[in-house]
Amino acid sequence: MAQSHMVLFRFYVLKASFGEGNSCFTSAQLENSFRDSLSMLDSGKLVHDCLLNTSKGADDHLIEFSEALRTVAKALRQVAEGKASAQAEAAEWRRKYELERERNQHKELSSQGAQYDSKEITAENLSDQTVPQTISIEQLEKCCGKHGICSHEVLRDGETDFESKMNHNKIRKKVSSTQAKPHFIIEDNLRFGEGVNLRKASFRLSWGCNGSGQHKHDIVSFERGNITTAERSSKQISLKWESQPQTVLILTKPNSSPVRSLCAEMIRWLKDYKGIDVFVEPQVRIELLSDSPYFNFVQTWVDGFLDNLVHEAHLNEEIMFMHTKVDLVITLGGDGTVLWAASMFKGPVPPVVPFSLGSLGFMTPFQSEHYRRYLDSILKGPISITLRHRLQCHVIRDAAKDELETEESILVLNEVTVDRGMSSYLTNLECYCDSSFVTCVQGDGLILSTTSGSTAYSLAAGGSMVHPQVPGILFTPICPHSLSFRPLILPEYVTLRVQVPFTSRGHAWASFDGKDRKKLAAGDALVISMAQWPVPTACQVDSTNDFLHSIHEGLHWNLRKTQSFDGPRES
């Protein structure tokens, strides 16, 4: 178009000049000039056509290049899925190998201890000691029949699997030089609570046992090609003390005057009327002594922040074996105090009695005003308890050599959250369940919650409320950029893997029960599975009653005005 305009412009200029009688321009000159302009117009068309053909060719190349990139991305994703599947399978085989090795070591250690006891320990030495007891085969057959599927267990003063795993090396060194059983050697090595009665109370847990003492079971039969369930047990768990509790650990909500005064009053009552040894946190003991020297009998563990001479490993060891010395844990606060109590126990957890002194409590059914009546009933027993399962989480960095090279595992009672932190980009998370690809999360993040945590962050993100004794893991997205991304509830036996892909625009951040945030860079992975040590919390009535009461009182669940009875009626 520009070329044609130029030709017309030159034609009119020539014509005007010729019309004015300018002798400089002849008709031949005008004709030659017009021919030059036409040739220029033809060349412009050629250039324009050439540019059009070039742009079309470039577009075709770009389309081919984008398709090639899409194919490469798909191939890389398939490779990543295959790698994750192989790593998960290798980790599972490694875990089975470790469990088998530990089981063999435990059997070898038990046989050595039995041989040593038969040779060295006399009846006189055993008269003052607490010996682990087991249920005989005759008792099992009497209670459950020959199949032995009764869901009850007796827990006594014995070395637990956790103690065996953590201390079998120490036991082997001490057996040859001391005149005591390995169980008592472990107690000698513990420095937590020196100078007090260290004998731990024993108790019995029973599942699905009604008032008459008759046990029910889930019996599945297969007759004539039909699968039927004969009967179902309630699975309500009951705790009965077989020896009186002697030691109580009280954990309190910090910076609260009502909690502080109630703690002092409860300690006086436990010591004066029940004769129970009381442990508190180091800072709480300092506050109690500042109020009155009467609380000098209250025990605690050494605080590394208060005593710089204490090594951190020594402090961790004392807290690690706290469950071997404490019969009962009392929390004064809200759900946050219960989470803090659970985080202190890296292995087995003693029964927890949570008193409600916080702003909102789904796990604190006991009212502090009647603590004497509640504690008196709990110390006598039996009581109903809720086994609140925990998640075991560990981070595997991209630089790790294999799946076994992980960071220290973290136990959570509520949830583990993976979010985008301060980044303005969407999180990009690849999720796997065992060896199966689940989905790629694109949004603000992901919540992996226990059923106890279903009324916490997961509920706010749109997850369902689940009874705390339902075994499962909640898979809840946070503000997903998809209308079809609905929450899931997965079985408790699966292992979940959340990985940040190398194509992610930003980092992700993982937090565990709202603290201990860890940065997840591209290639890092977070592995989550159900922990083997639940948190047993005492119930005021029973597990179901306490759960329904908590959602009614805490959330005002389904609270509305009742429909008026007058008005039109169905004939």
Side-chain angles (χ1 to χ4, degrees):
M1 293 295 294
Q3 296 291 337
S4 61
H5 290 166
M6 181 63 68
V7 171
L8 291 176
F9 175 75
R10 293 182 62 184
F11 175 76
Y12 286 124
V13 170
L14 292 173
K15 183 178 179 182
S17 301
F18 183 78
E20 290 176 358
N22 193 340
S23 60
C24 295
F25 294 96
T26 63
S27 60
Q29 290 176 339
L30 181 61
E31 184 178 356
N32 292 333
S33 177
F34 186 72
R35 285 197 190 118
D36 294 340
S37 300
L38 289 176
S39 62
M40 184 182 299
L41 180 60
D42 294 338
S43 62
K45 289 182 178 180
L46 293 174
V47 172
H48 181 66
D49 294 340
C50 182
L51 291 176
L52 285 177
N53 294 331
T54 304
S55 61
K56 290 180 180 180
D59 291 340
D60 294 338
H61 288 303
L62 287 176
I63 293 173
E64 293 177 359
F65 182 68
S66 63
E67 291 179 353
L69 286 180
R70 214 174 278 116
T71 304
V72 171
K74 184 178 180 180
L76 289 176
R77 182 172 179 176
Q78 292 176 351
V79 170
E81 292 178 5
K83 178 182 176 182
S85 176
Q87 290 175 343
E89 185 177 0
E92 180 65 18
W93 281 107
R94 180 66 178 177
R95 185 183 67 83
K96 292 180 179 179
Y97 168 75
E98 292 292 339
L99 289 175
E100 186 65 24
R101 188 179 67 175
E102 291 175 358
R103 191 179 296 111
N104 293 336
Q105 291 177 350
H106 183 65
K107 289 181 179 179
E108 180 183 356
L109 184 61
S110 300
S111 62
Q112 291 179 357
Q115 294 175 2
Y116 181 81
D117 293 336
S118 62
K119 295 179 180 179
E120 301 291 337
I121 299 179
T122 62
E124 182 179 357
N125 293 332
L126 289 175
S127 60
D128 297 330
Q129 305 293 347
T130 303
V131 181
Q133 300 180 12
T134 58
I135 306 176
S136 63
I137 298 178
E138 292 78 5
Q139 291 174 336
L140 281 175
E141 292 184 354
K142 182 179 179 180
C143 175
C144 314
K146 296 182 180 180
H147 298 288
I149 57 174
C150 179
S151 52
H152 82 280
E153 181 180 354
V154 177
L155 304 181
R156 301 179 185 273
D157 293 349
E159 181 185 15
T160 63
D161 293 338
F162 177 80
E163 296 167 15
S164 175
K165 293 177 183 177
M166 301 301 297
N167 296 282
H168 63 275
N169 292 330
K170 293 182 180 180
I171 294 172
R172 288 178 176 176
K173 294 179 181 179
K174 293 287 185 177
V175 164
S176 61
S177 59
T178 57
Q179 300 294 326
K181 294 183 65 177
H183 169 68
F184 304 112
I185 294 168
I186 294 175
E187 291 188 347
D188 292 337
N189 288 336
L190 296 174
R191 290 176 288 273
F192 174 74
E194 292 180 351
V196 298
N197 182 14
L198 297 181
R199 181 177 179 180
K200 186 172 170 62
S202 60
F203 55 85
R204 178 190 296 270
L205 292 182
S206 59
W207 281 260
C209 182
N210 57 20
S212 63
Q214 180 181 0
H215 294 267
K216 295 182 179 181
H217 314 283
D218 294 339
I219 302 176
V220 180
S221 62
F222 183 78
E223 297 179 357
R224 298 180 182 179
N226 298 321
I227 300 176
T228 59
T229 303
E231 56 184 345
R232 295 252 178 205
S233 62
S234 64
K235 295 299 183 183
Q236 177 60 55
I237 306 171
S238 178
L239 182 148
K240 181 179 180 181
W241 299 103
E242 294 197 332
S243 61
Q244 189 67 21
Q246 300 294 325
T247 307
V248 170
L249 170 64
I250 299 179
L251 300 175
T252 62
K253 176 183 178 181
N255 305 322
S256 175
S257 299
V259 172
R260 183 174 176 178
S261 60
L262 177 64
C263 178
E265 181 182 344
M266 185 179 292
I267 290 174
R268 287 179 181 269
W269 182 80
L270 288 172
K271 185 64 176 178
D272 295 342
Y273 293 95
K274 297 297 179 180
I276 293 179
D277 297 314
V278 179
F279 288 84
V280 296
E281 295 180 271
Q283 186 61 37
V284 175
R285 186 175 188 274
I286 293 175
E287 295 174 356
L288 291 172
L289 291 176
S290 65
D291 294 339
S292 172
Y294 167 81
F295 298 103
N296 192 46
F297 66 88
V298 176
Q299 300 293 319
T300 187
W301 57 92
V302 181
D303 193 342
F305 295 100
L306 302 178
D307 188 355
N308 295 328
L309 299 178
V310 178
H311 196 269
E312 184 179 359
H314 171 72
L315 176 63
N316 292 336
E317 184 180 2
E318 289 188 342
I319 298 177
M320 182 180 300
F321 295 102
M322 191 184 303
H323 69 278
T324 63
K325 305 303 167 192
V326 174
D327 298 323
L328 199 66
V329 179
I330 298 175
T331 63
L332 305 179
D335 286 350
T337 311
V338 178
L339 294 178
W340 169 245
S343 67
M344 294 186 65
F345 295 91
K346 308 304 180 183
V349 185
V352 179
V353 183
F355 284 92
S356 177
L357 286 161
S359 56
L360 185 64
F362 295 97
M363 295 185 286
T364 55
F366 296 98
Q367 301 300 319
S368 60
E369 295 82 4
H370 309 290
Y371 76 88
R372 291 185 179 89
R373 175 164 57 89
Y374 289 137
L375 289 180
D376 188 65
S377 175
I378 290 171
L379 293 173
K380 290 179 181 178
I383 58 172
S384 297
I385 65 171
T386 300
L387 287 183
R388 300 184 180 273
H389 298 282
R390 292 190 288 180
L391 297 178
Q392 185 171 6
C393 316
H394 57 271
V395 176
I396 303 175
R397 298 298 180 184
D398 178 53
K401 298 178 181 178
D402 51 40
E403 293 288 322
L404 299 178
E405 187 178 340
T406 65
E407 297 182 0
E408 183 181 2
S409 63
I410 301 175
L411 297 177
V412 297
L413 180 57
N414 265 0
E415 75 277 316
V416 52
T417 304
V418 184
D419 56 62
R420 59 189 177 95
M422 297 297 293
S423 175
S424 59
Y425 298 108
L426 295 176
T427 54
N428 190 2
L429 305 172
E430 293 179 350
C431 303
Y432 300 88
C433 179
D434 290 336
S435 58
S436 302
F437 176 74
V438 180
T439 188
C440 185
V441 178
Q442 295 183 92
D444 281 355
L446 177 68
I447 301 171
L448 297 171
S449 168
T450 64
T451 51
S452 293
S454 65
T455 52
Y457 195 0
S458 176
L459 176 65
S464 177
M465 293 187 293
V466 186
H467 192 288
Q469 287 197 183
V470 174
I473 302 176
L474 279 68
F475 187 92
T476 308
I478 307 174
C479 296
H481 198 258
S482 170
L483 297 177
S484 60
F485 198 163
R486 305 301 300 160
L488 300 176
I489 300 178
L490 302 171
E492 86 283 1
Y493 56 80
V494 301
T495 298
L496 297 174
R497 180 187 180 95
V498 180
Q499 185 162 346
V500 181
F502 291 100
T503 57
S504 178
R505 294 188 177 184
H507 303 300
W509 292 84
S511 59
F512 308 89
D513 276 343
K515 57 182 185 297
D516 299 330
R517 286 178 67 84
K518 290 180 177 291
K519 182 179 179 180
L520 300 178
D524 294 345
L526 178 66
V527 179
I528 303 100
S529 60
M530 191 70 74
Q532 60 176 318
W533 301 292
V535 178
T537 58
C539 302
Q540 183 178 354
V541 182
D542 57 51
S543 181
T544 301
N545 185 283
D546 289 358
F547 172 69
L548 295 176
H549 183 268
S550 67
I551 62 176
H552 284 146
E553 295 296 323
L555 296 175
H556 303 293
W557 179 63
N558 195 29
L559 184 64
R560 69 178 297 273
K561 294 181 65 177
T562 305
Q563 186 180 25
S564 176
F565 67 91
D566 56 350
R569 295 178 179 271
E570 185 178 358
S571 57

